[in-house]
Amino acid sequence: MSATTRHAEPTTFLRAATRPRMLALLAVLLLAAVVCARLGMWQLDRAEIRGGADEAQAQAEREARAPQDIGDVFAPQTSFTGELVGQQVVARGSYEPDGQLLVVERAIGEEVGYLVLTPLRVTDTLPSTPGDDAGEAAPVLPVVRGWVADPDDAAALAVPTGEVTVTGYLQASEGPGLGGQPAGRVDAISSAELLGSWAGPIWTGYVVLADAEPADAAHSAGLELVPTPTRSGSGMNIQNLAYAAQWWIFGGFALFVWIRLVRDEAAGDGPAPVEPVDPAEPVGEPGAVTQQTGASAAP
């Protein structure tokens, strides 16, 4: 008689997991998971490198474009879209010194200081802009004229008077700040909050100053220009991020397979070998064999 098989007896998950063959399988699958994790990290590094290069190229292209009149780009009190970040614009109007604010806790490099935020009352917007024919105040544009390390330095810097032409880069308005700042200071460049301080329609973004005509004397007196804004979260390449996620999923699946196999092993679903039966050995109890033989021999 040939060898037969039977199902293994059910046991606990821990006992099934510590069987030699399951431990050997665990070692193999853990090695595969580690390889997948390393490949995922490699793809993550590639995503950062390629994303940074792509963003640098896009930023260079934005800076190379000729600046456009801000009224031609988007109107006050309309939605600011992500592709506008870093767009060069030109605006003409007059600064309002009484409305100037300092934005606290803003860093350039490793030094923390203050942004000098000045309202520019724009006078050359499109004819359809509110304020042109309804007796309302002209629209106001928040302009970050620069950065100072000491707030006393900002107080000593004169605000240009008369009509000015400013060229700069657009950046999206921030969310509302936490508040609690002294008079003349804010912790966020929020158009919604600035609207309460500055009369008239307001843009839902602000301009980071790059140049002015006539030149702003404050820059020669210590006001430092702010670096060109970049889009948040644009430093990662999406394709490489997807590859990284795939490798991590593969690594997790390897561990899932081992857990599933251990559960099947513990449930007794796996076959277990049975020793061969000796053909010369009676099957069943001797008494049953004798009675069956006797019954067969009866006439």
Side-chain angles (χ1 to χ4, degrees):
M1 182 180 298
S2 60
T4 60
T5 60
R6 62 177 177 81
H7 287 288
E9 292 294 331
T11 185
T12 64
F13 183 89
L14 180 59
R15 289 182 178 178
T18 54
R19 288 173 178 170
R21 64 175 177 274
M22 301 310 297
L23 292 177
L25 181 59
L26 175 62
V28 173
L29 293 178
L30 279 178
L31 179 60
V34 170
V35 171
C36 290
R38 293 295 299 272
L39 289 172
M41 293 301 299
W42 176 71
Q43 287 291 348
L44 187 64
D45 291 339
R46 293 293 302 167
E48 184 174 0
I49 293 172
R50 292 185 60 186
D54 293 343
E55 176 58 25
Q57 181 179 356
Q59 184 65 33
E61 292 175 355
R62 287 193 293 268
E63 294 178 3
R65 296 173 190 159
Q68 297 178 266
D69 287 341
I70 190 168
D72 295 333
V73 176
F74 78 118
Q77 300 184 170
T78 58
S79 299
F80 188 102
T81 55
E83 62 268 15
L84 292 176
V85 175
Q87 169 82 45
Q88 278 200 86
V89 294
V90 176
R92 299 170 185 85
S94 300
Y95 285 120
E96 296 184 341
D98 294 340
Q100 181 165 283
L101 299 167
L102 294 182
V103 187
V104 302
E105 297 182 357
R106 297 304 170 103
I108 290 184
E110 297 182 355
E111 190 172 4
V112 179
Y114 303 81
L115 295 179
V116 179
L117 181 66
T118 311
L120 179 72
R121 194 66 60 177
V122 179
T123 57
D124 67 338
T125 53
L126 296 175
S128 59
T129 299
D132 290 344
D133 53 7
E136 300 179 10
V140 62
L141 175 66
V143 177
V144 175
R145 293 172 51 226
W147 176 93
V148 292
D150 191 331
D152 295 334
D153 295 339
L157 298 174
V159 178
T161 58
E163 186 175 84
V164 296
T165 300
V166 301
T167 302
Y169 301 96
L170 288 174
Q171 178 60 290
S173 173
E174 301 171 356
L178 299 176
Q181 298 296 325
R185 299 186 187 182
V186 292
D187 57 356
I189 307 176
S190 171
S191 295
E193 293 184 340
L194 294 173
L195 184 60
S197 303
W198 303 342
I202 191 171
W203 272 271
T204 57
Y206 61 93
V207 166
V208 176
L209 185 67
D211 193 14
E213 181 62 39
D216 193 336
H219 294 126
S220 60
L223 185 63
E224 184 176 346
L225 289 175
V226 177
T228 305
T230 57
R231 287 186 293 176
S232 176
S234 59
M236 303 293 279
N237 182 271
I238 301 300
Q239 184 179 23
N240 290 102
L241 280 178
Y243 290 154
Q246 287 178 358
W247 282 117
W248 290 331
I249 291 173
F250 292 156
F253 184 73
L255 297 180
F256 170 79
V257 168
W258 182 80
I259 293 174
R260 182 62 180 269
L261 291 174
V262 173
R263 289 179 57 186
D264 292 344
E265 181 82 5
D269 293 340
V274 178
E275 295 182 0
V277 179
D278 186 355
E281 183 178 346
V283 178
E285 296 182 2
V289 175
T290 304
Q291 293 176 1
Q292 183 179 2
T293 304
S296 301

